[in-house]
Amino acid sequence: MHRRGFLAAGLATVLASSRALAQTKMDDMSMPGMGGHAGHDMAAMAQDAVILPEGQVLRDLPMLANEADRPGLFRARLTAEPAIARFAEGRDTPILAYNGMSPGPLIEAFEGDRVEITFANRIDSEASTIHWHGMPVPADQDGNPMDPVAAGTERVYAFELPEGSAGSYWYHPHPHGKTAEQVYRGLAGAFVVKAKADPIPAEYGDTMLVFTDLRLAADGSIPSNSMSDLMNGRVGDHVLVNGQKNPRLSVAKGARRRLRLYNATNARFLKLAFDGATMTIIGSDGGLLAAPVAADEILLSPGERIELVASFDMPGPITLYTLGYDRGWMGPGRPADAGLTLLTVDVSDSEAETVPQLPARLRPIAPFAAPVLSRRLVLTETMAMNPTGMEMGFLINGKAFDMGRVDFVARAGEIELWEIVNQADMDHPFHVHGTQFQVIEHERDGAVSKPPYLAWKDTVNVARGETVRLLLRQDRPGQRMYHCHILEHEQLGMMGVLDVMS
Ligand SMILES: [Cu+2]
């Protein structure tokens, strides 16, 4: 079981080890009580903050090798297991890894492919699953909490990638009561479905930027969740890109780069801008937009993805950095969210060779027809004192998640209007499994606005006091989850079950 694997940049050298779990203290987060959790003391954290190296060359995510013996099939193995990473000099960090790495290997397949991935769960004493976030896979292949893969066992996830499904998806665990923890300990990876005919010029490249959010204790370990983490969602100390802190990318002057940004953090809202490069949005969670849209800044809430073309016309260095965004925070210790440098781009003096233009039209997106029914989902937060301390509840229509309860019954192929009403004090990024939806309206203080462009989405931020209206259609029968993608909120109840009948 002592297998050594090195990540490309050497930043997070990973060594699979059975002692990793023994070193990692875990909470049972199903019944959080104030007494059992130390508060997250930001001042103390700042004092012994671990320094991570910056400025290494941005690494490409290692690809998951396709072991299939015929075209049109993607066959591979993903193993979740304890590992040791080396984020900071001289400190071992016990993590969870897919195939020895965090983020997990990049999966790349094509529209029309069949995918067969054997998942082996080698996490000590914990069930896990793989959820294919955003992908149109059958309900029984989607890694629901109802379909756990027990520790020490394996299963095959098999599905087809339909035509038109090209997009920037990701994969992560979704076991009952352990999703938040398994993700912050390292389990998440990108899954790109490529189009057979892609309108984006190949000269732009295709660069993944997977954001994760690491918190390290002074000894290098990853601390378990505090009460504040459970309330607000866990925000770490270091936003990493492909596992690296503020890595460097080199481009020629005048170059354009296609960038796929993934918010794979538990709860970190990323409001992003480049100083010195222009951004054009070309894609959302579920693939390309109908036409490019210029943007000065973008808000990427937990679970969301966006595809950009960045134009580097000025001499560098240029940074991708965060702006402030108030998503609502309970109690002390609101983390600094502005002014983090996530990526540095060195723009050389030499001019890029001929750079093709971005097409004016990318692909057609047909707006949904009128819905046959509408549903209203009200998000609330509750706080109650009981003999063991304070308990937070995150509810949808007054109810906490119950795996044995069906909250809504839908019919496959029918268009529905969902109205997500946030009556809570925090923003909640709302995610629906198994399909892509279209946001049609935002409402706040009685003012209704339309989204700036039509897009396929599987996760949408619903700000405090806001109502978001979206149209969706589930095409495959079976049970589908919908939930807040602040993973601690999902775990504390903000999730429901939609049963789709054929
Ligand atoms: Cu939430």
Side-chain angles (χ1 to χ4, degrees), residues 231-233 269 327 379 381 394 422 424 426-430 461-462 483-490 494:
M231 285 196 295
N232 293 294
F269 285 66
R327 49 83 153 199
L379 313 180
E381 297 150 5
F394 293 90
N422 187 345
M426 286 181 260
D427 288 18
H428 294 289
F430 185 80
N461 187 42
V462 189
H483 60 89
C484 174
H485 222 282
I486 289 180
L487 295 176
E488 284 74 15
H489 294 172
E490 172 262 309
M494 199 172 268

Side-chain angles (χ1 to χ4, degrees), residues 39-112:
H40 181 39
D41 184 342
M42 295 306 288
M45 287 295 305
Q47 266 178 10
D48 11 285
V50 177
I51 308 291
L52 263 58
E54 299 184 38
Q56 295 169 334
V57 174
L58 175 73
R59 69 187 182 98
D60 287 330
L61 295 169
M63 302 256 290
L64 184 63
N66 183 3
E67 295 164 2
D69 49 10
R70 62 171 173 87
L73 176 65
F74 185 94
R75 182 182 281 153
R77 229 182 130 75
L78 274 177
T79 302
E81 61 194 341
I84 301 290
R86 179 63 62 83
F87 293 105
E89 188 56 38
R91 290 175 173 89
D92 283 350
T93 302
I95 64 166
L96 294 178
Y98 284 122
N99 292 4
M101 54 190 101
S102 175
L106 169 64
I107 307 178
E108 232 182 58
F110 282 84
E111 289 177 342

Side-chain angles (χ1 to χ4, degrees), residues 24-25 114 123 132 140 143 148 158 213 244-245 259 286 301 308 333 380 389 424 480:
T24 308
K25 286 228 172 73
R114 176 175 171 78
I123 307 170
W132 311 99
D140 61 357
D213 195 1
Q244 296 172 291
K245 186 159 183 178
L259 306 174
S301 72
L308 300 176
T380 54
R480 297 294 186 177

